[in-house]
Amino acid sequence: MTEPGPSPDLTILETHVYRGPNIWSYDVSVHLVVDLGSLERFPTSELPGFTDALVALLPRIERHTCSRGHRGGFIERLREGTWLGHVAEHVALQLQQEAGHDIRRGKTRGVKGRPGVYNVVFGYVDERVALAAARLSVRLVNHLVQAEPGLDFDAGLDLFLRRAERTAFGPSPAAIVEEAVSRDIPWIRLNEQSLVQLGQGVHQQRIRATMTSGTSALAVDIAGDKELTSTLLASAGLPVPGTQSVRTIEDAVRVADRMGYPVVVKPLDGNHGRGVCLDLRSADDVRAAFDVAQEQSRRGWVVVESLILGRDYRCLIIGGRMQAIAERVPAHVMGDGVRSVTELVEATNADPRRGVGHEKVLTRISVDDAAVDLVRQQGFGMHEVPPAGEMVKLALTGNMSTGGISVDRTFEAHPDNVEIAEEAARVIGLDVAGIDFICPDIAQPVRETGGAICEVNAAPGFRMHTHPTVGEPQYIAKPVVDLLFPPGAASRVPIVAVTGTNGKTTTSRMIAHVFKGLGHKVGMTSTDGVVIDERLVIKADASGPKSARMVLQNPRVDFAVFEVARGGILREGLGFDRADVAVVTNIAPDHLGMRGIDTLEQLAAVKAVVVEAVPRHGHAVLNADDPLVREMRRRCSGEVVWFSLRAPGTPVRDLIDEHCRRGGKAVVLDTSDKGDMIVIRHGRRSMQLAWTHLLPSTFGGAALMNVANAMAAAGAAFAAGAPLHDIRQGLRTFTTSYYLSPGRMNLLPVMGVEVVVDYCHNPAGMRALGDFVERYSTRQSVTADLGKPSRIGMIGAAGDRRDEDIRELGEVAADVFDVVVVREDANLRRRAPGAAAALVAEGLHARMREGARCKQVEIVTDELAAVRHVMARANAGDLVVLCADKHAGVLAELEVLSRQAQAGAHTGDVVGDPDLDPRLLALDAVATGSAADAGSI
């Protein structure tokens, strides 16, 4: 039986855009998951004519080196046989190169356990262009396998290139961004046009085209009023033509008659040479030009100006100094004695350097009625053949936007003319200004040869200087960036990125608290929201890259602390290009079985992206007690700072001792009769930081997980340059109150019962919480000389976890609590109601049959109903642990229960409850939005 031939089965299953370092690359990337279908059986060597057809459509793909490392290496792979997912990667790269994006990074890897499915990853400059390239590449590969009816690849490529040109930066902002990148200044594109943020946080500057954060709005307004500009320049003694603004045709003619012909008519507030009519020699010419100019005027005013004869020069002034001068030659063609004017224009526009508008270094010549009239005035028709060497103008103005060309004259200008241009920019008040000179020769002083400043431009275009048609290019982006970021000026804010399975949020809050005490305006993201200078600005799960970028765009932030979650890394990568300090708390089973992450080793590889983002001068603070975290040291380009709870003499402490003997840094615990002391070690120096039992967040040392979090925070703060006494003060004043650490180990007495509200939601977290409960309960019983109190727990698991992980949560909890009430999250995450709770209960019952501490299990799926049920069971002296999904609602419910108990126990004018923690009075205000109650605390 004959095997069927190849079919165009290549399809894209998933698309991911990584906007920062990610699991595939240190840089921005597009990730496609593609399915080859039947094409898995057909490598390129089994597809006759495939390689030749691909090269015919994209000839420059022959330059790709691929893994061979030499030009033509990819073609060799094609002829030897490679799979079509790999081909799609190279086609997408080449399509981006066709659009002018120099991108060469890419890789294709098979998906384990899924034959015919591949991960295709490649870099990009503009994500929209990259995504369009991905779609077109898949379509082209399928077309080459089996021709798609009606597909015109050349037309599709032309459409792709036009769209790419529309989204690309113009030459001017592109030059500034490239200069910023060369100086390691981060940038963010703020809209689809040319608004760009350079730098981060408090150090940020902005540009829009060539206007900067330092460009005066008043100066831009003055420059936009040509009559006012001329008046101010004249009052400063600078040469300007006679100018007057008018609103009617009659006034324009009257002014022109008084000035004397020839004159110029142009819009009062126009730009790019639009609406400018030159060399008007009669009243009829003025009348005809008036409507053209007024159409381009936003306010309806038109300027009549005496004509200055000479060449057109643009002087670029940046920061008060001349940086470049270009002579602008109007759009024209040179006769060859063979082709007509129309044919010459077509040949000129075929120059690949010419495009539409400002998308390329030159603009295509547009033939409109004004151009046809101008050609006729020179004695030619559009279909007539001008003599060889004859210059035929198609525009009177030398603007690049009308098809003109430029000739660099930077080093030819006379010093007097340079001084005049610089003074003009100072008079108007522009930091970046384009001064338009009309004079016979810029090399001669205009006060002697005649000439004048005809215009001052805010946001002048750079392309005539960076890409002159004739002469040397001038690198004028450098002085612009110097203006925004003088030598030695900072452009980045310090970034501390915290990741791990448990403890991320608390560690992040501790670090932010330390640096807030140092006077910094700290921007922090966490699973609770975005906090700017201790003010919650967005309440949401903000541990992803979008929230990080939001913080870096805030102009108040001078220090950033980011909690980095697994989901954000897999979805978009990191929200920043590098971290000065990375912290990894631990790696434990959680979120397994999601997004292709099935093992702890794979989860560690995802978390390690944060460590890989640390530069050579940065630090990675790693948990030496966790083998998977310990291995991340091999991925760190910077310096490793260990932290460990292990005692001296253990293998981990031996590793740390050797690390410190070599000059390294670490945070360790030294134990004595007085307790456990947190010690920072740097080389041979040991610096005592604090007793663990004196840190409020550790509950007298009972909460070992917060001891570890405090050590990680201390290591991060020390690595980021915080003085020792400020780290100590920060940790000593950080509490687990609802205000500093909402939903994390909040201990509150309610109705004689001690209640702990925490976010514990996975087995590893439950083990740490169980250790705390055991230590705390024992300590409290000894202190109060009471027997063991009952331990009542409310627990729940996220529905998107694996069944075995949900059961394990119940199994661990069975050894912690006497009574367990199982609830469910508000978001069931695609599970049926009651399903997750049933799995938790299965785990509890399994351990109970083995003799676990737990004696009773109840299921109350609604969280607030479960809170009420737990509190109804509790007696004075019991310890209640509420593992909450929505902690604000839980705290508000506790307040309601306290008030109800108060109402039942007291009558008359009693307004307080001695068993009610006064902090709860404000928690209800926070949850319900009562500003009056919250403000009274």
Side-chain angles (χ1 to χ4, degrees):
M1 183 175 177
T2 305
E3 186 174 328
S7 300
D9 293 342
L10 179 60
T11 56
I12 298 176
L13 302 179
E14 299 176 27
T15 301
H16 305 279
V17 179
Y18 300 120
R19 299 176 177 90
N22 55 81
I23 59 175
W24 295 101
S25 171
Y26 295 142
D27 211 340
V28 296
S29 307
V30 167
H31 172 208
L32 308 176
V33 180
V34 301
D35 186 354
L36 268 59
S38 65
L39 294 175
E40 174 68 3
R41 304 194 310 271
F42 295 93
T44 51
S45 57
E46 300 296 322
L47 298 172
F50 181 92
T51 300
D52 293 335
L54 177 61
V55 172
L57 292 173
L58 293 171
R60 283 181 281 192
I61 206 168
E62 288 187 305
R63 302 175 183 175
H64 291 209
T65 62
C66 199
S67 58
R68 300 296 168 84
H70 59 81
R71 183 181 175 127
F74 177 59
I75 302 301
E76 293 176 7
R77 294 286 306 275
L78 286 172
R79 299 197 187 283
E80 293 169 4
T82 188
W83 271 260
L84 294 183
H86 184 207
V87 177
E89 169 211 325
H90 278 269
V91 171
L93 288 171
Q94 184 56 45
L95 289 172
Q96 291 185 82
Q97 291 178 13
E98 296 289 334
H101 299 175
D102 187 18
I103 291 295
R104 307 178 189 186
R105 298 179 290 106
K107 64 176 71 172
T108 299
R109 301 289 185 269
V111 177
K112 187 177 180 180
R114 300 176 67 184
V117 179
Y118 292 82
N119 292 305
V120 178
V121 183
F122 52 87
Y124 68 85
V125 173
D126 185 312
E127 67 178 71
R128 290 169 295 181
V129 174
L131 292 173
R135 292 189 293 268
L136 184 56
S137 69
V138 168
R139 192 177 179 191
L140 174 60
V141 170
N142 281 328
H143 175 67
L144 294 177
V145 171
Q146 186 178 103
E148 177 183 333
L151 174 61
D152 183 344
F153 176 72
D154 290 336
L157 178 61
D158 185 62
L159 178 62
F160 165 76
L161 295 177
R162 287 203 305 272
R163 289 176 176 172
E165 288 169 350
R166 284 198 297 270
T167 63
F169 281 129
S172 301
I176 297 174
V177 169
E178 288 172 8
E179 176 65 21
V181 169
S182 72
R183 302 188 190 192
D184 196 32
I185 296 173
W187 63 279
I188 303 172
R189 189 170 187 173
L190 299 177
N191 66 2
E192 295 184 358
Q193 285 74 46
S194 57
L195 182 62
V196 179
Q197 174 183 314
L198 304 178
Q200 298 169 339
V202 71
H203 305 302
Q204 68 179 267
Q205 301 286 345
R206 291 178 181 173
I207 62 168
R208 187 171 68 184
T210 60
M211 287 192 291
T212 75
S213 298
T215 302
S216 163
L218 180 60
V220 173
D221 191 52
I222 292 172
D225 187 327
K226 293 177 171 51
E227 184 180 26
L228 178 57
T229 297
S230 183
T231 300
L232 292 177
L233 295 180
S235 66
L238 302 178
V240 293
T243 302
Q244 186 171 336
S245 58
V246 296
R247 291 205 65 147
T248 65
I249 292 177
E250 293 74 16
D251 289 343
V253 171
R254 185 168 57 254
V255 170
D257 289 339
R258 187 178 70 249
M259 286 183 176
Y261 296 97
V263 296
V264 176
V265 170
K266 58 186 179 182
L268 177 70
D269 49 8
N271 52 34
H272 298 304
R274 289 188 285 265
V276 178
C277 301
L278 303 174
D279 198 19
L280 306 179
R281 296 182 174 273
S282 68
D284 290 340
D285 290 344
V286 171
R287 290 188 179 94
F290 183 87
D291 290 336
V292 176
Q294 192 174 52
E295 185 178 347
Q296 296 296 327
S297 176
R298 292 185 294 274
R299 290 179 284 178
W301 286 86
V302 170
V303 171
V304 180
E305 186 176 276
S306 58
L307 178 67
I308 305 295
L309 298 176
R311 297 178 178 177
D312 185 355
Y313 297 95
R314 165 65 62 82
C315 302
L316 183 65
I317 311 299
I318 300 174
R321 300 192 63 182
M322 188 277 291
Q323 299 295 341
I325 297 178
E327 179 184 350
R328 301 186 296 179
V329 180
H332 67 279
V333 294
M334 298 297 296
D336 60 4
V338 176
R339 291 175 291 184
S340 67
V341 175
T342 298
E343 292 171 332
L344 291 169
V345 170
E346 291 174 353
T348 302
N349 284 339
D351 186 336
R353 295 176 299 172
R354 291 188 181 268
V356 178
H358 291 264
E359 66 191 13
K360 293 188 177 180
V361 296
L362 293 173
T363 300
R364 292 174 184 165
I365 299 173
S366 177
V367 179
D368 53 16
D369 292 341
V372 173
D373 290 341
L374 181 59
V375 170
R376 187 179 300 112
Q377 292 172 21
Q378 298 169 77
F380 301 102
M382 292 301 297
H383 297 288
E384 295 181 8
V385 177
E390 180 78 18
M391 177 179 179
V392 180
K393 293 183 179 180
L394 289 109
L396 287 173
T397 61
N399 295 77
M400 301 287 286
S401 56
T402 59
I405 64 172
S406 64
V407 181
D408 182 62
R409 304 291 188 192
T410 302
F411 302 107
E412 300 175 16
H414 193 279
D416 287 355
N417 297 339
V418 171
E419 183 181 347
I420 290 171
E422 292 174 346
E423 184 70 8
R426 283 191 288 269
V427 169
I428 302 304
L430 290 170
D431 59 340
V432 180
I435 311 299
D436 289 346
F437 255 118
I438 303 294
C439 62
D441 188 353
I442 199 70
Q444 301 297 322
V446 296
R447 297 186 190 276
E448 297 177 8
T449 61
I453 297 172
C454 64
E455 199 165 319
V456 175
N457 298 273
F462 285 178
R463 63 175 175 163
M464 70 182 74
H465 308 292
T466 58
H467 298 85
T469 315
V470 180
E472 293 294 321
Q474 302 301 315
Y475 298 101
I476 51 176
K478 179 182 183 301
V480 175
V481 179
D482 284 341
L483 196 65
L484 300 173
F485 298 95
S491 63
R492 294 176 178 268
V493 299
I495 294 176
V496 179
V498 183
T499 192
T501 300
N502 294 308
K504 300 186 297 293
T505 301
T506 300
T507 303
S508 299
R509 288 168 174 166
M510 287 178 172
I511 297 168
H513 185 70
V514 169
F515 283 95
K516 173 62 180 176
L518 280 164
H520 286 284
K521 305 292 185 183
V522 181
M524 185 185 75
T525 65
S526 72
T527 49
D528 282 334
V530 177
V531 176
I532 304 295
D533 195 24
E534 292 192 327
R535 186 177 297 274
L536 183 66
V537 296
I538 291 182
K539 186 178 180 181
D541 183 348
S543 56
K546 291 182 180 178
S547 304
R549 287 192 289 271
M550 184 183 303
V551 168
L552 296 177
Q553 290 179 37
N554 190 290
R556 286 197 298 156
V557 171
D558 61 9
F559 197 95
V561 181
F562 297 139
E563 177 183 341
V564 181
R566 162 213 59 90
I569 298 174
L570 290 173
R571 188 173 59 254
E572 292 186 48
L574 300 181
F576 44 89
D577 59 346
R578 69 177 186 228
D580 299 279
V581 180
V583 181
V584 185
T585 57
N586 46 63
I587 301 295
D590 196 16
H591 297 281
L592 297 182
M594 301 167 61
R595 290 182 176 268
I597 305 302
D598 300 314
T599 67
L600 278 178
E601 289 72 20
Q602 291 174 325
L603 181 61
V606 174
K607 304 283 189 180
V609 169
V610 178
V611 176
E612 292 171 346
V614 172
R616 288 187 176 275
H617 61 270
H619 296 77
V621 181
L622 303 179
N623 184 355
D625 300 336
D626 189 315
L628 291 172
V629 177
R630 209 160 51 233
E631 282 300 307
M632 293 183 190
R633 70 187 186 278
R634 306 183 189 279
R635 299 184 178 221
C636 180
S637 300
E639 183 178 351
V640 171
V641 181
W642 296 115
F643 71 94
S644 171
L645 296 173
R646 296 289 187 267
T650 59
V652 169
R653 283 297 291 269
D654 292 342
L655 169 72
I656 291 175
D657 290 343
E658 178 62 25
H659 174 73
C660 292
R661 274 196 294 271
R662 296 180 178 181
K665 301 171 184 175
V667 184
V668 296
L669 274 185
D670 282 352
T671 303
S672 68
D673 294 340
K674 296 181 180 180
D676 295 333
M677 171 66 73
I678 298 177
V679 177
I680 294 180
R681 297 178 60 184
H682 185 190
R684 297 184 180 276
R685 291 188 299 155
S686 292
M687 297 161 278
Q688 293 185 341
L689 184 66
W691 295 105
T692 59
H693 63 272
L694 296 181
L695 301 182
S697 62
T698 69
F699 298 90
L704 284 183
M705 67 282 211
N706 274 356
V707 173
N709 293 337
M711 295 172 70
F718 186 67
L724 193 67
H725 63 276
D726 289 301
I727 301 173
R728 182 183 297 115
Q729 179 67 13
L731 294 180
R732 282 181 174 176
T733 56
F734 181 85
T735 70
T736 58
S737 70
Y738 190 77
Y739 305 101
L740 284 180
S741 190
R744 303 299 190 277
M745 295 297 292
N746 305 141
L747 178 62
L748 300 163
V750 181
M751 301 184 299
V753 178
E754 289 195 294
V755 179
V756 175
V757 179
D758 192 63
Y759 187 61
C760 175
H761 61 282
N762 60 47
M766 184 59 69
R767 289 189 182 92
L769 183 61
D771 179 76
F772 162 74
V773 168
E774 181 64 33
R775 290 168 178 268
Y776 186 77
S777 297
T778 301
R779 187 169 301 178
Q780 294 302 101
S781 297
V782 171
T783 302
D785 195 24
L786 298 172
K788 282 190 175 181
S790 294
R791 305 174 188 174
I792 306 174
M794 180 189 77
I795 67 173
D800 57 358
R801 305 308 197 264
R802 299 181 304 178
D803 289 359
E804 56 265 39
D805 294 331
I806 297 177
R807 290 192 191 95
E808 186 182 358
L809 177 67
E811 292 170 3
V812 176
D815 291 320
V816 178
F817 303 110
D818 299 300
V819 178
V820 176
V821 176
V822 183
R823 58 151 187 88
E824 286 195 327
D825 288 355
N827 182 357
L828 298 177
R829 307 193 190 199
R830 296 184 298 277
R831 282 192 186 267
L839 289 170
V840 174
E842 282 183 28
L844 284 159
H845 288 300
R847 281 292 296 132
M848 289 168 65
R849 287 191 292 270
E850 297 172 359
R853 179 182 184 118
C854 183
K855 304 305 178 187
Q856 187 172 353
V857 177
E858 299 177 81
I859 296 178
V860 182
T861 56
D862 179 74
E863 182 167 69
L864 297 186
V867 171
R868 291 190 291 271
H869 186 75
V870 167
M871 296 306 297
R873 293 189 59 100
N875 298 311
D878 287 348
L879 177 64
V880 170
V881 178
L882 303 176
C883 298
D885 175 29
K886 305 293 184 183
H887 53 74
V890 168
L891 268 294
E893 185 64 25
L894 290 175
E895 162 64 8
V896 171
L897 293 174
S898 297
R899 287 178 174 173
Q900 290 175 349
Q902 172 186 328
H906 300 280
T907 57
D909 58 354
V910 177
V911 294
D913 184 340
D915 290 330
L916 175 62
D917 191 318
R919 291 173 293 178
L920 283 175
L921 297 175
L923 296 178
D924 186 44
V926 172
T928 60
S930 171
D933 289 344
S936 65
I937 297 303

